[in-house]
Amino acid sequence: MEIDKKHVLLTGASGGIGQALALALAAKGARLTLIGRRAEPLETLCTGLSGEGHRVLTLDLNDMAARAELAQKLGEQPLDILINCAGSNQLGWLSDQTEYEIEQQLRINLLVPMLLTRQLLNRLNPKQALIVNIGSSFGAIGYPGYTAYCAAKFGLRGFSEALRRELSNTSTKVIYIAPRATDTALNSESVRAMNQILGNRMDSPETVAAVVLRSIARERTETYIGWPERLFVLINKLNSAPVTRAIRGQLEIIRRYAIEARSER
Ligand SMILES: NC(=O)c1ccc[n+]([C@@H]2O[C@H](COP(=O)([O-])OP(=O)(O)OC[C@H]3O[C@@H](n4cnc5c(N)ncnc54)[C@H](OP(=O)(O)O)[C@@H]3O)[C@@H](O)[C@H]2O)c1
């Protein structure tokens, strides 16, 4: 899909990947509705965007009433692209996470994108529209310390596939993009230290944004970012045993950082 002059609703716009995406989309001529909870970074971002007609809507996506008001606030003009980018996670063993933490991760990474998409379906441009769900490589590889986040992102991938098929006789397409570790505030100091020790590479948010723009342009159904993560995803799908063995070798290190991450909170 061409990005020029398209109306894009972007959740998670105040975050690392969201901000990079907003800048890249605006530079290509998109008109953006930016969503997040923190007004200050959203307003600063909005002021610095190229082009005109951008705006900020500050809301907590977990709040049902605020979500319901969103469609009214959007006004008359149809939405061309909906990008579900808001998300959060917490490194920690399942037994150490509270019910609230588990619920929150499932909510913002899975339930909110589903409910928001459902709510905005009738606001999408009937001629051509795109729903972009930002997943994770943890949406295809179950990883210790991220049980709730993995469950949510696996779910988001399933939701994307099912909705894509449900809408396959319409002009709305659904794409799913899975970044690997990315240099944003999502990753705490412990997670960064763990990634360094394990040799996990981190992309810049700008790299992720560039891939998202390419995936939108090509309407690529599923995109996994980074090598060797793409290879692990493929192997894990075909035969998960070698991936399980490799992760078993990392388990003590992950456990150590999961305990450290818990004490940071
Ligand atoms: N960074 C990574 O390593 C990585 C890797 C793979 C996938 N991803 C995915 O990429 C997406 C963006 O992550 P990021 O790295 O940019 O994270 P980030 O910098 O922590 O930003 C998270 C964004 O989500 C928003 N958000 C969270 N809860 C919200 C709520 N209840 N209501 C409204 N907005 C909410 C935040 O808004 P406020 O800050 O204003 O509250 C912020 O804009 C997420 O879906 C994440 O799962 C990230």
Side-chain angles (χ1 to χ4, degrees):
M1 180 189 266
E2 275 280 325
I3 288 166
D4 191 28
K5 297 192 175 58
K6 296 296 189 311
H7 178 199
V8 182
L9 186 148
L10 173 65
T11 74
S14 49
I17 292 175
Q19 293 198 23
L21 254 178
L23 289 164
L25 286 162
K28 290 277 182 195
R31 193 170 60 78
L32 289 151
T33 298
L34 305 167
I35 294 186
R37 286 174 299 191
R38 290 170 301 141
E40 202 189 322
L42 288 175
E43 296 293 352
T44 308
L45 173 69
C46 194
T47 312
L49 292 178
S50 42
E52 288 176 348
H54 312 297
R55 63 177 168 166
V56 164
L57 293 179
T58 309
L59 67 129
D60 184 341
L61 286 165
N62 286 329
D63 180 344
M64 194 167 65
R67 279 201 316 271
E69 278 175 27
L70 175 61
Q72 292 163 9
K73 287 186 181 162
L74 279 180
E76 289 305 309
Q77 217 198 335
L79 201 56
D80 299 295
I81 305 178
L82 163 63
I83 306 183
N84 287 306
C85 180
S88 76
N89 67 26
Q90 275 150 355
L91 174 63
W93 250 228
L94 182 67
S95 52
D96 294 337
Q97 299 217 337
T98 64
E99 282 194 13
Y100 178 77
E101 285 169 338
I102 292 167
E103 271 179 22
Q104 284 300 106
Q105 290 178 81
L106 287 169
R107 189 169 288 280
I108 192 63
N109 294 295
L110 175 60
L111 200 56
V112 161
M114 290 179 69
L115 296 175
L116 189 65
T117 301
R118 173 185 167 277
Q119 195 179 356
L120 296 178
L121 276 177
N122 64 0
R123 306 301 307 266
L124 295 176
N125 190 334
K127 288 190 188 130
Q128 190 192 20
L130 201 59
I131 297 164
V132 182
N133 291 327
I134 304 297
S136 165
S137 43
F138 287 164
I141 298 175
Y143 204 76
Y146 287 105
T147 47
Y149 184 65
C150 286
K153 293 295 192 184
F154 267 68
L156 185 66
R157 185 162 59 87
F159 166 64
S160 306
E161 184 177 280
L163 186 66
R164 180 181 311 127
R165 290 171 179 167
E166 194 169 301
L167 298 176
S168 58
N169 62 351
T170 75
S171 52
T172 297
K173 298 224 164 75
V174 183
I175 69 174
Y176 172 86
I177 301 165
R180 62 176 172 184
T182 308
D183 188 4
T184 73
L186 185 78
N187 297 306
S188 64
E189 285 310 313
S190 316
V191 173
R192 285 163 189 273
M194 179 184 80
N195 280 336
Q196 203 168 12
I197 285 207
L198 295 176
N200 297 335
R201 295 214 189 100
M202 242 191 200
D203 289 318
S204 70
E206 290 72 25
T207 300
V208 174
V211 176
V212 173
L213 258 68
R214 273 205 300 282
S215 299
I216 290 175
R218 295 176 192 166
E219 298 179 7
R220 280 188 66 173
T221 303
E222 268 193 13
T223 305
Y224 290 89
I225 304 178
W227 190 266
E229 286 77 2
R230 272 206 302 274
L231 178 66
F232 290 153
V233 167
L234 187 66
I235 297 172
N236 199 44
K237 264 187 198 162
L238 298 172
N239 173 14
S240 61
V243 179
T244 302
R245 272 197 300 278
I247 292 174
R248 174 73 183 85
Q250 302 178 332
L251 200 59
E252 289 317 313
I253 295 173
I254 304 168
R255 176 72 175 139
R256 176 151 44 92
Y257 283 100
I259 291 167
E260 195 178 301
R262 204 77 240 114
S263 66
E264 272 175 4
R265 293 202 280 276

